[in-house]
Amino acid sequence: MGIAIAANALRDALHQRGQRMTPQRRLVLEVLDEARGHVTGKELLELCRERDPDTNPSTVYRTLDVLEELGYVSHSHSAQGREEYHVLPDAPHAHLQCRSCGRTWELDAADAASVTAPIKKRFGFEPDIGHLTIVGRCSDCAEKASA
């Protein structure tokens, strides 16, 4: 995420809502800019509080909402149901999560389509793959369980 581009877009979006770009919102952007992969709102809050202990949780979550509307982050839900934010996903993707070891992999749109296409065909329903997490057992854990 180019922090200057995101900051300008966020400043404009906030201005349209009668709000302003505050130092705390800028901090959220900076921390997200450094984030890799998925981060929960709570993790983001903790990372922000490492730099500024006065970071307000509502500011973090409201900023995430605006950033999602602008397309800078997307959210999904893990197998445990926790909401996770993904910074600037390159492309829509689903997730695979091992229920034994907890590892998570990204499943690209083409592979996810093999799961979602029958749902679309049968029900006319278009799944949002960004919210799709398939829980199972990874090959390592399956091998250990069968040994």
Side-chain angles (χ1 to χ4, degrees), residues 93-123:
H93 62 273
H95 299 92
L96 301 175
Q97 185 169 47
C98 179
R99 68 173 165 254
S100 298
C101 69
R103 285 179 48 203
T104 302
W105 296 264
E106 291 183 1
L107 184 65
D108 68 30
D111 287 334
S114 67
V115 174
T116 60
I119 294 168
K120 183 176 180 179
K121 183 176 181 180
R122 181 171 178 199
F123 300 102

mmCIF file of all heavy atoms in Angstrom, residues 93-123:
data_model
loop_
_atom_site.group_PDB
_atom_site.id
_atom_site.type_symbol
_atom_site.label_atom_id
_atom_site.label_comp_id
_atom_site.label_asym_id
_atom_site.label_seq_id
_atom_site.Cartn_x
_atom_site.Cartn_y
_atom_site.Cartn_z
ATOM 1 N N HIS A 93 -9.330 -14.277 -3.034
ATOM 2 C CA HIS A 93 -8.864 -15.618 -2.709
ATOM 3 C C HIS A 93 -9.614 -16.163 -1.508
ATOM 4 O O HIS A 93 -10.141 -15.405 -0.704
ATOM 5 C CB HIS A 93 -7.352 -15.624 -2.437
ATOM 6 C CG HIS A 93 -6.957 -14.788 -1.265
ATOM 7 N ND1 HIS A 93 -6.681 -13.451 -1.370
ATOM 8 C CD2 HIS A 93 -6.809 -15.103 0.043
ATOM 9 C CE1 HIS A 93 -6.369 -12.976 -0.189
ATOM 10 N NE2 HIS A 93 -6.449 -13.952 0.700
ATOM 11 N N ALA A 94 -9.681 -17.469 -1.423
ATOM 12 C CA ALA A 94 -10.277 -18.151 -0.278
ATOM 13 C C ALA A 94 -9.128 -18.671 0.591
ATOM 14 O O ALA A 94 -7.963 -18.391 0.311
ATOM 15 C CB ALA A 94 -11.159 -19.299 -0.766
ATOM 16 N N HIS A 95 -9.465 -19.399 1.631
ATOM 17 C CA HIS A 95 -8.442 -19.913 2.536
ATOM 18 C C HIS A 95 -8.667 -21.388 2.836
ATOM 19 O O HIS A 95 -9.807 -21.849 2.889
ATOM 20 C CB HIS A 95 -8.464 -19.125 3.851
ATOM 21 C CG HIS A 95 -8.190 -17.679 3.654
ATOM 22 N ND1 HIS A 95 -9.191 -16.758 3.456
ATOM 23 C CD2 HIS A 95 -7.029 -16.997 3.578
ATOM 24 C CE1 HIS A 95 -8.651 -15.567 3.284
ATOM 25 N NE2 HIS A 95 -7.343 -15.683 3.351
ATOM 26 N N LEU A 96 -7.586 -22.076 3.050
ATOM 27 C CA LEU A 96 -7.603 -23.439 3.554
ATOM 28 C C LEU A 96 -6.990 -23.364 4.945
ATOM 29 O O LEU A 96 -5.975 -22.686 5.135
ATOM 30 C CB LEU A 96 -6.754 -24.372 2.688
ATOM 31 C CG LEU A 96 -7.141 -24.488 1.221
ATOM 32 C CD1 LEU A 96 -6.122 -25.361 0.488
ATOM 33 C CD2 LEU A 96 -8.532 -25.066 1.086
ATOM 34 N N GLN A 97 -7.600 -24.036 5.913
ATOM 35 C CA GLN A 97 -7.052 -23.993 7.262
ATOM 36 C C GLN A 97 -7.067 -25.388 7.867
ATOM 37 O O GLN A 97 -8.096 -26.076 7.839
ATOM 38 C CB GLN A 97 -7.826 -23.036 8.151
ATOM 39 C CG GLN A 97 -7.165 -22.895 9.525
ATOM 40 C CD GLN A 97 -7.761 -21.773 10.326
ATOM 41 O OE1 GLN A 97 -8.975 -21.664 10.415
ATOM 42 N NE2 GLN A 97 -6.926 -20.949 10.905
ATOM 43 N N CYS A 98 -5.913 -25.798 8.394
ATOM 44 C CA CYS A 98 -5.793 -27.103 9.031
ATOM 45 C C CYS A 98 -6.343 -27.023 10.449
ATOM 46 O O CYS A 98 -5.899 -26.193 11.243
ATOM 47 C CB CYS A 98 -4.335 -27.568 9.052
ATOM 48 S SG CYS A 98 -4.120 -29.165 9.864
ATOM 49 N N ARG A 99 -7.305 -27.879 10.751
ATOM 50 C CA ARG A 99 -7.906 -27.862 12.088
ATOM 51 C C ARG A 99 -6.971 -28.454 13.132
ATOM 52 O O ARG A 99 -7.177 -28.254 14.322
ATOM 53 C CB ARG A 99 -9.239 -28.584 12.089
ATOM 54 C CG ARG A 99 -9.132 -30.074 11.877
ATOM 55 C CD ARG A 99 -10.482 -30.765 12.049
ATOM 56 N NE ARG A 99 -10.419 -32.104 11.510
ATOM 57 C CZ ARG A 99 -10.969 -32.499 10.394
ATOM 58 N NH1 ARG A 99 -11.669 -31.642 9.669
ATOM 59 N NH2 ARG A 99 -10.848 -33.732 9.975
ATOM 60 N N SER A 100 -5.932 -29.183 12.686
ATOM 61 C CA SER A 100 -4.999 -29.788 13.639
ATOM 62 C C SER A 100 -3.875 -28.841 14.026
ATOM 63 O O SER A 100 -3.654 -28.585 15.204
ATOM 64 C CB SER A 100 -4.407 -31.074 13.062
ATOM 65 O OG SER A 100 -5.422 -32.021 12.827
ATOM 66 N N CYS A 101 -3.163 -28.306 13.040
ATOM 67 C CA CYS A 101 -2.007 -27.456 13.354
ATOM 68 C C CYS A 101 -2.320 -25.963 13.250
ATOM 69 O O CYS A 101 -1.540 -25.133 13.698
ATOM 70 C CB CYS A 101 -0.818 -27.807 12.457
ATOM 71 S SG CYS A 101 -1.020 -27.385 10.706
ATOM 72 N N GLY A 102 -3.449 -25.610 12.628
ATOM 73 C CA GLY A 102 -3.842 -24.212 12.530
ATOM 74 C C GLY A 102 -3.246 -23.455 11.360
ATOM 75 O O GLY A 102 -3.571 -22.284 11.156
ATOM 76 N N ARG A 103 -2.375 -24.093 10.578
ATOM 77 C CA ARG A 103 -1.794 -23.402 9.422
ATOM 78 C C ARG A 103 -2.884 -23.005 8.436
ATOM 79 O O ARG A 103 -3.900 -23.670 8.312
ATOM 80 C CB ARG A 103 -0.775 -24.289 8.721
ATOM 81 C CG ARG A 103 0.524 -24.393 9.481
ATOM 82 C CD ARG A 103 1.556 -25.290 8.830
ATOM 83 N NE ARG A 103 1.735 -25.026 7.418
ATOM 84 C CZ ARG A 103 2.215 -25.923 6.557
ATOM 85 N NH1 ARG A 103 2.569 -27.122 6.966
ATOM 86 N NH2 ARG A 103 2.349 -25.624 5.282
ATOM 87 N N THR A 104 -2.626 -21.916 7.731
ATOM 88 C CA THR A 104 -3.578 -21.395 6.752
ATOM 89 C C THR A 104 -2.856 -21.150 5.435
ATOM 90 O O THR A 104 -1.725 -20.683 5.416
ATOM 91 C CB THR A 104 -4.195 -20.072 7.247
ATOM 92 O OG1 THR A 104 -4.836 -20.302 8.497
ATOM 93 C CG2 THR A 104 -5.212 -19.528 6.276
ATOM 94 N N TRP A 105 -3.535 -21.475 4.347
ATOM 95 C CA TRP A 105 -3.020 -21.230 3.001
ATOM 96 C C TRP A 105 -4.049 -20.420 2.239
ATOM 97 O O TRP A 105 -5.249 -20.522 2.488
ATOM 98 C CB TRP A 105 -2.811 -22.542 2.236
ATOM 99 C CG TRP A 105 -1.791 -23.442 2.815
ATOM 100 C CD1 TRP A 105 -0.478 -23.546 2.443
ATOM 101 C CD2 TRP A 105 -1.975 -24.388 3.875
ATOM 102 N NE1 TRP A 105 0.145 -24.507 3.204
ATOM 103 C CE2 TRP A 105 -0.753 -25.034 4.090
ATOM 104 C CE3 TRP A 105 -3.061 -24.753 4.664
ATOM 105 C CZ2 TRP A 105 -0.572 -26.016 5.054
ATOM 106 C CZ3 TRP A 105 -2.903 -25.720 5.628
ATOM 107 C CH2 TRP A 105 -1.654 -26.347 5.811
ATOM 108 N N GLU A 106 -3.566 -19.642 1.282
ATOM 109 C CA GLU A 106 -4.475 -18.925 0.396
ATOM 110 C C GLU A 106 -4.802 -19.823 -0.785
ATOM 111 O O GLU A 106 -3.936 -20.520 -1.310
ATOM 112 C CB GLU A 106 -3.854 -17.610 -0.071
ATOM 113 C CG GLU A 106 -3.738 -16.613 1.054
ATOM 114 C CD GLU A 106 -3.201 -15.266 0.626
ATOM 115 O OE1 GLU A 106 -2.921 -15.058 -0.579
ATOM 116 O OE2 GLU A 106 -3.066 -14.404 1.504
ATOM 117 N N LEU A 107 -6.049 -19.799 -1.190
ATOM 118 C CA LEU A 107 -6.545 -20.577 -2.316
ATOM 119 C C LEU A 107 -6.951 -19.582 -3.391
ATOM 120 O O LEU A 107 -7.866 -18.776 -3.176
ATOM 121 C CB LEU A 107 -7.742 -21.416 -1.859
ATOM 122 C CG LEU A 107 -8.375 -22.381 -2.845
ATOM 123 C CD1 LEU A 107 -7.378 -23.479 -3.207
ATOM 124 C CD2 LEU A 107 -9.626 -22.994 -2.219
ATOM 125 N N ASP A 108 -6.263 -19.592 -4.531
ATOM 126 C CA ASP A 108 -6.536 -18.573 -5.546
ATOM 127 C C ASP A 108 -7.943 -18.740 -6.131
ATOM 128 O O ASP A 108 -8.607 -19.757 -5.941
ATOM 129 C CB ASP A 108 -5.457 -18.540 -6.625
ATOM 130 C CG ASP A 108 -5.427 -19.766 -7.519
ATOM 131 O OD1 ASP A 108 -6.476 -20.400 -7.740
ATOM 132 O OD2 ASP A 108 -4.331 -20.085 -8.011
ATOM 133 N N ALA A 109 -8.376 -17.722 -6.834
ATOM 134 C CA ALA A 109 -9.745 -17.680 -7.352
ATOM 135 C C ALA A 109 -10.044 -18.851 -8.278
ATOM 136 O O ALA A 109 -11.148 -19.403 -8.252
ATOM 137 C CB ALA A 109 -9.995 -16.358 -8.062
ATOM 138 N N ALA A 110 -9.078 -19.257 -9.090
ATOM 139 C CA ALA A 110 -9.318 -20.368 -10.019
ATOM 140 C C ALA A 110 -9.566 -21.667 -9.259
ATOM 141 O O ALA A 110 -10.486 -22.423 -9.591
ATOM 142 C CB ALA A 110 -8.137 -20.522 -10.971
ATOM 143 N N ASP A 111 -8.755 -21.932 -8.243
ATOM 144 C CA ASP A 111 -8.968 -23.145 -7.446
ATOM 145 C C ASP A 111 -10.260 -23.050 -6.635
ATOM 146 O O ASP A 111 -10.988 -24.034 -6.500
ATOM 147 C CB ASP A 111 -7.782 -23.404 -6.522
ATOM 148 C CG ASP A 111 -6.553 -23.888 -7.268
ATOM 149 O OD1 ASP A 111 -6.699 -24.488 -8.351
ATOM 150 O OD2 ASP A 111 -5.432 -23.671 -6.767
ATOM 151 N N ALA A 112 -10.542 -21.881 -6.106
ATOM 152 C CA ALA A 112 -11.779 -21.709 -5.344
ATOM 153 C C ALA A 112 -13.002 -21.895 -6.237
ATOM 154 O O ALA A 112 -14.039 -22.383 -5.785
ATOM 155 C CB ALA A 112 -11.813 -20.333 -4.681
ATOM 156 N N ALA A 113 -12.871 -21.544 -7.518
ATOM 157 C CA ALA A 113 -13.993 -21.689 -8.450
ATOM 158 C C ALA A 113 -14.421 -23.141 -8.595
ATOM 159 O O ALA A 113 -15.603 -23.424 -8.831
ATOM 160 C CB ALA A 113 -13.633 -21.104 -9.813
ATOM 161 N N SER A 114 -13.474 -24.067 -8.432
ATOM 162 C CA SER A 114 -13.849 -25.480 -8.530
ATOM 163 C C SER A 114 -14.785 -25.880 -7.394
ATOM 164 O O SER A 114 -15.564 -26.819 -7.525
ATOM 165 C CB SER A 114 -12.606 -26.370 -8.550
ATOM 166 O OG SER A 114 -11.930 -26.308 -7.311
ATOM 167 N N VAL A 115 -14.724 -25.141 -6.290
ATOM 168 C CA VAL A 115 -15.622 -25.395 -5.165
ATOM 169 C C VAL A 115 -16.917 -24.596 -5.320
ATOM 170 O O VAL A 115 -18.008 -25.098 -5.055
ATOM 171 C CB VAL A 115 -14.939 -25.018 -3.828
ATOM 172 C CG1 VAL A 115 -15.890 -25.129 -2.664
ATOM 173 C CG2 VAL A 115 -13.695 -25.864 -3.616
ATOM 174 N N THR A 116 -16.797 -23.361 -5.774
ATOM 175 C CA THR A 116 -17.964 -22.479 -5.822
ATOM 176 C C THR A 116 -18.808 -22.635 -7.087
ATOM 177 O O THR A 116 -19.997 -22.323 -7.069
ATOM 178 C CB THR A 116 -17.535 -21.009 -5.676
ATOM 179 O OG1 THR A 116 -16.639 -20.666 -6.740
ATOM 180 C CG2 THR A 116 -16.863 -20.771 -4.331
ATOM 181 N N ALA A 117 -18.219 -23.111 -8.184
ATOM 182 C CA ALA A 117 -18.966 -23.240 -9.447
ATOM 183 C C ALA A 117 -20.194 -24.138 -9.310
ATOM 184 O O ALA A 117 -21.276 -23.769 -9.806
ATOM 185 C CB ALA A 117 -18.060 -23.726 -10.565
ATOM 186 N N PRO A 118 -20.095 -25.293 -8.657
ATOM 187 C CA PRO A 118 -21.306 -26.114 -8.499
ATOM 188 C C PRO A 118 -22.399 -25.423 -7.670
ATOM 189 O O PRO A 118 -23.583 -25.603 -7.933
ATOM 190 C CB PRO A 118 -20.794 -27.370 -7.778
ATOM 191 C CG PRO A 118 -19.339 -27.421 -8.054
ATOM 192 C CD PRO A 118 -18.898 -25.988 -8.181
ATOM 193 N N ILE A 119 -21.989 -24.613 -6.707
ATOM 194 C CA ILE A 119 -22.965 -23.871 -5.898
ATOM 195 C C ILE A 119 -23.681 -22.849 -6.775
ATOM 196 O O ILE A 119 -24.905 -22.714 -6.730
ATOM 197 C CB ILE A 119 -22.261 -23.189 -4.709
ATOM 198 C CG1 ILE A 119 -21.711 -24.250 -3.754
ATOM 199 C CG2 ILE A 119 -23.205 -22.225 -3.991
ATOM 200 C CD1 ILE A 119 -20.760 -23.714 -2.706
ATOM 201 N N LYS A 120 -22.909 -22.167 -7.598
ATOM 202 C CA LYS A 120 -23.503 -21.169 -8.494
ATOM 203 C C LYS A 120 -24.434 -21.836 -9.495
ATOM 204 O O LYS A 120 -25.548 -21.363 -9.742
ATOM 205 C CB LYS A 120 -22.408 -20.397 -9.223
ATOM 206 C CG LYS A 120 -22.956 -19.298 -10.098
ATOM 207 C CD LYS A 120 -21.840 -18.485 -10.727
ATOM 208 C CE LYS A 120 -22.428 -17.395 -11.607
ATOM 209 N NZ LYS A 120 -21.386 -16.570 -12.220
ATOM 210 N N LYS A 121 -23.993 -22.960 -10.048
ATOM 211 C CA LYS A 121 -24.804 -23.651 -11.053
ATOM 212 C C LYS A 121 -26.111 -24.175 -10.448
ATOM 213 O O LYS A 121 -27.182 -24.008 -11.028
ATOM 214 C CB LYS A 121 -23.999 -24.802 -11.659
ATOM 215 C CG LYS A 121 -24.740 -25.526 -12.766
ATOM 216 C CD LYS A 121 -23.863 -26.589 -13.399
ATOM 217 C CE LYS A 121 -24.633 -27.277 -14.524
ATOM 218 N NZ LYS A 121 -23.815 -28.301 -15.163
ATOM 219 N N ARG A 122 -26.014 -24.798 -9.283
ATOM 220 C CA ARG A 122 -27.199 -25.428 -8.695
ATOM 221 C C ARG A 122 -28.177 -24.420 -8.099
ATOM 222 O O ARG A 122 -29.384 -24.556 -8.234
ATOM 223 C CB ARG A 122 -26.776 -26.427 -7.619
ATOM 224 C CG ARG A 122 -27.958 -27.120 -6.994
ATOM 225 C CD ARG A 122 -27.555 -28.248 -6.102
ATOM 226 N NE ARG A 122 -28.753 -28.829 -5.500
ATOM 227 C CZ ARG A 122 -28.741 -29.572 -4.437
ATOM 228 N NH1 ARG A 122 -27.611 -29.856 -3.843
ATOM 229 N NH2 ARG A 122 -29.856 -30.052 -3.955
ATOM 230 N N PHE A 123 -27.651 -23.412 -7.407
ATOM 231 C CA PHE A 123 -28.519 -22.496 -6.674
ATOM 232 C C PHE A 123 -28.602 -21.097 -7.277
ATOM 233 O O PHE A 123 -29.393 -20.282 -6.811
ATOM 234 C CB PHE A 123 -28.042 -22.366 -5.223
ATOM 235 C CG PHE A 123 -28.050 -23.663 -4.469
ATOM 236 C CD1 PHE A 123 -26.875 -24.357 -4.247
ATOM 237 C CD2 PHE A 123 -29.239 -24.204 -3.987
ATOM 238 C CE1 PHE A 123 -26.866 -25.550 -3.551
ATOM 239 C CE2 PHE A 123 -29.243 -25.402 -3.295
ATOM 240 C CZ PHE A 123 -28.058 -26.077 -3.072
#
